[in-house]
PDB file of all heavy atoms in Angstrom:
ATOM      1  N   SER A 153       4.364 -10.980   2.073  1.00  0.00           N
ATOM      2  CA  SER A 153       4.559  -9.683   1.734  1.00  0.00           C
ATOM      3  C   SER A 153       3.303  -9.118   1.012  1.00  0.00           C
ATOM      4  O   SER A 153       2.386  -9.847   0.705  1.00  0.00           O
ATOM      5  CB  SER A 153       5.788  -9.379   0.965  1.00  0.00           C
ATOM      6  OG  SER A 153       5.699  -9.649  -0.357  1.00  0.00           O
ATOM      7  N   GLY A 154       3.413  -7.945   0.599  1.00  0.00           N
ATOM      8  CA  GLY A 154       2.267  -7.320  -0.105  1.00  0.00           C
ATOM      9  C   GLY A 154       1.971  -8.031  -1.394  1.00  0.00           C
ATOM     10  O   GLY A 154       0.817  -8.222  -1.818  1.00  0.00           O
ATOM     11  N   THR A 155       3.014  -8.449  -2.138  1.00  0.00           N
ATOM     12  CA  THR A 155       2.866  -9.145  -3.365  1.00  0.00           C
ATOM     13  C   THR A 155       2.031 -10.477  -3.099  1.00  0.00           C
ATOM     14  O   THR A 155       1.311 -10.866  -3.986  1.00  0.00           O
ATOM     15  CB  THR A 155       4.217  -9.450  -4.011  1.00  0.00           C
ATOM     16  OG1 THR A 155       4.927  -8.178  -4.186  1.00  0.00           O
ATOM     17  CG2 THR A 155       4.098 -10.130  -5.357  1.00  0.00           C
ATOM     18  N   PHE A 180       3.972  -1.387  -9.988  1.00  0.00           N
ATOM     19  CA  PHE A 180       3.189  -2.265  -9.295  1.00  0.00           C
ATOM     20  C   PHE A 180       1.843  -2.719  -9.955  1.00  0.00           C
ATOM     21  O   PHE A 180       1.488  -3.865  -9.840  1.00  0.00           O
ATOM     22  CB  PHE A 180       2.954  -1.765  -7.882  1.00  0.00           C
ATOM     23  CG  PHE A 180       4.208  -1.658  -7.061  1.00  0.00           C
ATOM     24  CD1 PHE A 180       4.727  -0.470  -6.803  1.00  0.00           C
ATOM     25  CD2 PHE A 180       4.741  -2.771  -6.646  1.00  0.00           C
ATOM     26  CE1 PHE A 180       6.003  -0.339  -6.115  1.00  0.00           C
ATOM     27  CE2 PHE A 180       6.025  -2.725  -5.939  1.00  0.00           C
ATOM     28  CZ  PHE A 180       6.585  -1.518  -5.674  1.00  0.00           C
ATOM     29  N   ASN A 229      -2.557   3.683  -4.909  1.00  0.00           N
ATOM     30  CA  ASN A 229      -1.457   4.500  -4.779  1.00  0.00           C
ATOM     31  C   ASN A 229      -0.245   3.815  -5.451  1.00  0.00           C
ATOM     32  O   ASN A 229       0.209   2.931  -4.943  1.00  0.00           O
ATOM     33  CB  ASN A 229      -1.179   4.745  -3.315  1.00  0.00           C
ATOM     34  CG  ASN A 229      -0.101   5.834  -3.061  1.00  0.00           C
ATOM     35  OD1 ASN A 229      -0.429   7.022  -3.176  1.00  0.00           O
ATOM     36  ND2 ASN A 229       1.062   5.443  -2.620  1.00  0.00           N
ATOM     37  N   THR A 231       3.210   3.385  -6.000  1.00  0.00           N
ATOM     38  CA  THR A 231       4.481   3.683  -5.310  1.00  0.00           C
ATOM     39  C   THR A 231       5.586   3.983  -6.203  1.00  0.00           C
ATOM     40  O   THR A 231       6.556   4.728  -5.805  1.00  0.00           O
ATOM     41  CB  THR A 231       4.765   2.551  -4.388  1.00  0.00           C
ATOM     42  OG1 THR A 231       3.522   2.077  -3.709  1.00  0.00           O
ATOM     43  CG2 THR A 231       5.623   2.980  -3.156  1.00  0.00           C
ATOM     44  N   ASP A 256      -5.259  -2.696  -5.158  1.00  0.00           N
ATOM     45  CA  ASP A 256      -4.004  -2.710  -4.452  1.00  0.00           C
ATOM     46  C   ASP A 256      -3.768  -1.346  -3.696  1.00  0.00           C
ATOM     47  O   ASP A 256      -3.596  -0.305  -4.326  1.00  0.00           O
ATOM     48  CB  ASP A 256      -2.803  -2.860  -5.463  1.00  0.00           C
ATOM     49  CG  ASP A 256      -1.391  -2.666  -4.821  1.00  0.00           C
ATOM     50  OD1 ASP A 256      -1.345  -2.238  -3.635  1.00  0.00           O
ATOM     51  OD2 ASP A 256      -0.415  -2.881  -5.604  1.00  0.00           O
ATOM     52  N   ILE A 258      -1.674  -1.164  -1.096  1.00  0.00           N
ATOM     53  CA  ILE A 258      -0.556  -1.567  -0.154  1.00  0.00           C
ATOM     54  C   ILE A 258       0.098  -0.300   0.389  1.00  0.00           C
ATOM     55  O   ILE A 258       0.318  -0.297   1.658  1.00  0.00           O
ATOM     56  CB  ILE A 258       0.451  -2.550  -0.933  1.00  0.00           C
ATOM     57  CG1 ILE A 258      -0.284  -3.785  -1.306  1.00  0.00           C
ATOM     58  CG2 ILE A 258       1.757  -2.705  -0.106  1.00  0.00           C
ATOM     59  CD1 ILE A 258       0.538  -4.830  -1.998  1.00  0.00           C
ATOM     60  N   SER A 259       0.322   0.754  -0.389  1.00  0.00           N
ATOM     61  CA  SER A 259       1.011   1.972   0.185  1.00  0.00           C
ATOM     62  C   SER A 259       0.031   3.050   0.349  1.00  0.00           C
ATOM     63  O   SER A 259       0.453   4.132   0.673  1.00  0.00           O
ATOM     64  CB  SER A 259       2.075   2.345  -0.770  1.00  0.00           C
ATOM     65  OG  SER A 259       1.554   2.701  -2.004  1.00  0.00           O
ATOM     66  N   GLN A 281       4.371  -3.241   6.047  1.00  0.00           N
ATOM     67  CA  GLN A 281       5.542  -2.371   6.201  1.00  0.00           C
ATOM     68  C   GLN A 281       5.404  -1.022   5.508  1.00  0.00           C
ATOM     69  O   GLN A 281       6.381  -0.370   5.408  1.00  0.00           O
ATOM     70  CB  GLN A 281       6.767  -3.059   5.602  1.00  0.00           C
ATOM     71  CG  GLN A 281       6.885  -3.094   4.071  1.00  0.00           C
ATOM     72  CD  GLN A 281       6.110  -4.060   3.293  1.00  0.00           C
ATOM     73  OE1 GLN A 281       5.066  -4.579   3.796  1.00  0.00           O
ATOM     74  NE2 GLN A 281       6.413  -4.412   2.096  1.00  0.00           N
ATOM     75  N   LYS A 282       4.176  -0.639   5.092  1.00  0.00           N
ATOM     76  CA  LYS A 282       4.077   0.623   4.406  1.00  0.00           C
ATOM     77  C   LYS A 282       3.519   1.666   5.477  1.00  0.00           C
ATOM     78  O   LYS A 282       4.269   2.153   6.312  1.00  0.00           O
ATOM     79  CB  LYS A 282       3.087   0.439   3.174  1.00  0.00           C
ATOM     80  CG  LYS A 282       3.663  -0.559   2.189  1.00  0.00           C
ATOM     81  CD  LYS A 282       4.775   0.010   1.517  1.00  0.00           C
ATOM     82  CE  LYS A 282       5.583  -1.073   0.542  1.00  0.00           C
ATOM     83  NZ  LYS A 282       5.300  -1.133  -0.770  1.00  0.00           N
TER      84      LYS A 282
HETATM   85  C1  PLP B 628       5.275  -2.221  -1.803  1.00  0.00           C
HETATM   86  C2  PLP B 628       4.151  -2.350  -2.751  1.00  0.00           C
HETATM   87  C3  PLP B 628       3.826  -3.600  -3.301  1.00  0.00           C
HETATM   88  C4  PLP B 628       4.695  -4.855  -3.114  1.00  0.00           C
HETATM   89  O1  PLP B 628       4.755  -5.201  -1.774  1.00  0.00           O
HETATM   90  P1  PLP B 628       5.814  -6.215  -1.148  1.00  0.00           P
HETATM   91  O2  PLP B 628       5.526  -6.152   0.204  1.00  0.00           O
HETATM   92  O3  PLP B 628       7.163  -5.671  -1.545  1.00  0.00           O
HETATM   93  O4  PLP B 628       5.590  -7.553  -1.831  1.00  0.00           O
HETATM   94  C5  PLP B 628       2.909  -3.745  -4.241  1.00  0.00           C
HETATM   95  N1  PLP B 628       2.105  -2.671  -4.615  1.00  0.00           N
HETATM   96  C6  PLP B 628       2.360  -1.487  -4.084  1.00  0.00           C
HETATM   97  C7  PLP B 628       1.452  -0.339  -4.456  1.00  0.00           C
HETATM   98  C8  PLP B 628       3.405  -1.285  -3.126  1.00  0.00           C
HETATM   99  O5  PLP B 628       3.589  -0.111  -2.597  1.00  0.00           O
END
Side-chain angles (χ1 to χ4, degrees):
S153 83
T155 306
F180 292 107
N229 186 75
T231 318
D256 169 355
I258 292 178
S259 63
Q281 82 276 25
K282 301 290 169 96

